[in-house]
Amino acid sequence: MPPLVSIENVDMRYGGPEGTLAVSNLNLTVAKGEFAAVVGPSGCGKSTLMKLVTGLHIPQKGNVIVAEKQVTEPVSIVGMAFQNPTMLPWRTTLENILLPLEIVERHRKRLRAHKKEYIGQAERLLEIVGLKGFGSKYPWQLSGGMQQRANLCRALIHEPELLMLDEPFGALDAFTREELWCVIRDLHAAQGVTIVLVTHDLREAVFLADKIFVMSARPGRVLAEHRVPFERPRQIDLTYDTAFNDMVHGLHAEIANARVAA
Ligand SMILES: Nc1ncnc2c1ncn2[C@@H]1O[C@H](COP(=O)(O)OP(=O)(O)O)[C@@H](O)[C@H]1O
Ligand SMILES: [Mg+2]
């Protein structure tokens, strides 16, 4: 089966021919159903990679292929969640979760015809992420962690095949972050969705991913690809195991080297 995501020899430069070369000769593939993590020094092009896959940027060189189609415009099978959830304060949490359906033309007609089903789907997602009954609250009535959970529901409401997470838990405290790792773990297991997670938290990458791409300093390219050997389902206890911490240390050393090489 061809990969769901394929980046082939991609260069992306911002600001014209003399501008910043963000990624160069970038290559990676993610199989359907796989959980991939991307780690690397700050400014190495991780968010650029996310924008290339979602079609928010089109590269000057190389190919980005998602679901066997060359990406030339924003990709509709993708759900996205970023570090700072941007919920509309005048809408309830449930109305915020339904927002993507109102924006994407294809879904808009279906939303009108099947509003009840979509509300049911939003409520199921709220339950999965531990926010059962919070749909009628406004975002400003929720804690940061709760907003981030709702943000995940919003990314998933149109049942995307591919979920792109760009440092989604960076702003949260350690306990809340670990709770959300388990939410994401369970979503991945239950829904079979393909996930690409950008994170600077190496423990997060090792806990969640099937494979980890280590990027070089800018211009970013993939320096190494590691399989994560730990069995699923993984429990938080795993993060105290020697083998787990050895892998985290190994990644840390690679990234430290990548920064020095820059
Ligand atoms: N819209 C933009 N215009 C100009 N330069 C940009 C833009 N977005 C990112 N860059 C530059 O591209 C490089 C990679 O950025 P980014 O992909 O955001 O890195 P990361 O997410 O790994 O921290 C950085 O040097 C950044 O300053
Ligand atoms: Mg970034």
Side-chain angles (χ1 to χ4, degrees), residues 3 28-37 188 194-195 205-214 222 224-232 234 243-244 246-248 251 254:
L28 63 83
T29 62
V30 181
K32 198 169 162 46
E34 205 166 28
F35 199 135
H188 178 244
T194 307
I195 302 183
V206 177
F207 181 73
L208 286 170
D210 299 311
K211 72 177 175 190
I212 300 176
F213 297 104
V214 180
V222 173
E225 179 181 331
H226 299 281
R227 285 258 138 224
V228 182
F230 309 114
E231 255 175 48
R232 294 183 184 278
R234 299 174 190 160
F244 182 95
D246 286 349
M247 185 157 195
V248 171
L251 289 167
E254 276 179 37

Side-chain angles (χ1 to χ4, degrees), residues 5 16 32 39 46 51 54 58 67 71 91 106 129 134 140 179-180 187 208 224 226 239 241 243 251:
V5 178
K32 198 169 162 46
V39 299
K46 300 184 293 298
K51 288 172 189 159
T54 49
I58 306 301
V71 173
R91 289 185 146 222
R106 195 159 53 87
V129 303
F134 283 86
W140 43 269
E179 269 172 37
L180 287 182
L187 277 172
L208 286 170
H226 299 281
T239 64
D241 279 6
L251 289 167

Side-chain angles (χ1 to χ4, degrees), residues 1 45 52-53 79 97 104 136 138 142 154 171 189 191 214 222 242 250 253:
M1 208 163 53
L52 287 165
V53 171
I97 292 171
V104 181
S136 58
Y138 287 89
L142 306 182
R154 187 171 55 181
Q191 318 243 330
V214 180
V222 173
T242 310

Side-chain angles (χ1 to χ4, degrees), residues 12-15 20-23 40-51 57 166-167 198 215 218:
M12 171 73 211
R13 192 185 285 278
Y14 291 105
T20 308
L21 185 59
V23 300
S42 153
C44 74
K46 300 184 293 298
S47 294
T48 300
L49 183 161
M50 302 301 261
K51 288 172 189 159
H57 290 321
D166 192 350
E167 310 212 348
V198 163
M215 283 177 72
R218 188 173 66 80

